[in-house]
Amino acid sequence: SQELEQSPQSLIVQEGKNLTINCTSSKTLYGLYWYKQKYGEGLIFLMMLQKGGEEKSHEKITAKLDEKKQQSSLHITASQPSHAGIYLCGAVSNQAGTALIFGKGTTLSVSS
Amino acid sequence: DTEVTQTPKHLVMGMTNKKSLKCEQHMGHRAMYWYKQKAKKPPELMFVYSYEKLSINESVPSRFSPECPNSSLLNLHLHALQPEDSALYLCASSQDSPSGSTDTQYFGPGTRLTVL
């Protein structure tokens, strides 16, 4: 079965600093999703990447998909306290795209 | 509007109780999902409904019974649960287009369930 490995597991950065979170799949990625979750709350959709080499940005968050390496990265520029939370990468578990599997998440804390 | 609503927000129940979780979306999505999330773990898929028919059951115990009365509603009926079933239950929906791998799943805020 497909597995997603996220790194780092947790991250503490000073406000204003940049950071990167990685997500590596054990199998071919048909679609890669990034979500953010506050503890005990629902998942907020950030971005979806499908094509190899694809890069998307939203405000200060940029995500890239390297299909050859079966890896995606999420980069936050000039972090703010509002960026704190748990970042989850998710991937469709088969080409039919019927369900998502998730990485274990990266907990981000931003100190002011 | 990408809103998925879930009720109740919190639920405490005994092991002999029967309760239901509700999920609603008005985005015209035809796929709906139940996920279970234990503390400090990622969400795990329980059920998938496609066009109001159950398409995936991830070997979930029969004490969890899903129901999709129409394309906008998804219920999860709970009966004789165990304390280890305490978790955050998340509902999601997506378009369910032929090229499903491009469909984004939108999640509700979840129901925090505690089984005593």
Side-chain angles (χ1 to χ4, degrees), chain A:
Chain A
S1 61
Q2 186 173 20
E3 292 184 355
L4 295 176
E5 186 174 327
Q6 277 187 247
S7 62
Q9 186 176 1
S10 63
L11 197 52
I12 302 173
V13 299
Q14 196 172 15
E15 184 176 356
K17 297 294 186 183
N18 303 337
L19 63 108
T20 299
I21 299 169
N22 294 304
C23 176
T24 302
S25 172
S26 61
K27 295 186 178 180
T28 302
L29 288 165
Y30 294 105
L32 189 287
Y33 298 79
W34 284 101
Y35 290 88
K36 179 185 174 184
Q37 184 178 32
K38 294 282 191 180
Y39 182 75
E41 299 181 6
L43 279 64
I44 299 169
F45 170 70
L46 296 175
M47 276 170 278
M48 189 274 281
L49 305 165
Q50 189 187 7
K51 300 173 185 175
E54 188 173 12
E55 180 175 324
K56 288 186 178 178
S57 294
H58 176 67
E59 297 180 343
K60 294 185 178 180
I61 301 176
T62 300
K64 300 178 185 179
L65 177 63
D66 181 338
E67 198 170 88
K68 272 191 174 180
K69 292 184 177 179
Q70 301 176 177
Q71 186 176 53
S72 179
S73 61
L74 186 82
H75 184 78
I76 299 177
T77 303
S79 58
Q80 300 170 354
S82 60
H83 287 128
I86 303 166
Y87 289 82
L88 291 156
C89 64
V92 293
S93 57
N94 55 54
Q95 203 161 7
T98 49
L100 288 176
I101 58 165
F102 290 92
K104 292 184 177 179
T106 296
T107 301
L108 172 64
S109 301
V110 180
S111 61
S112 54

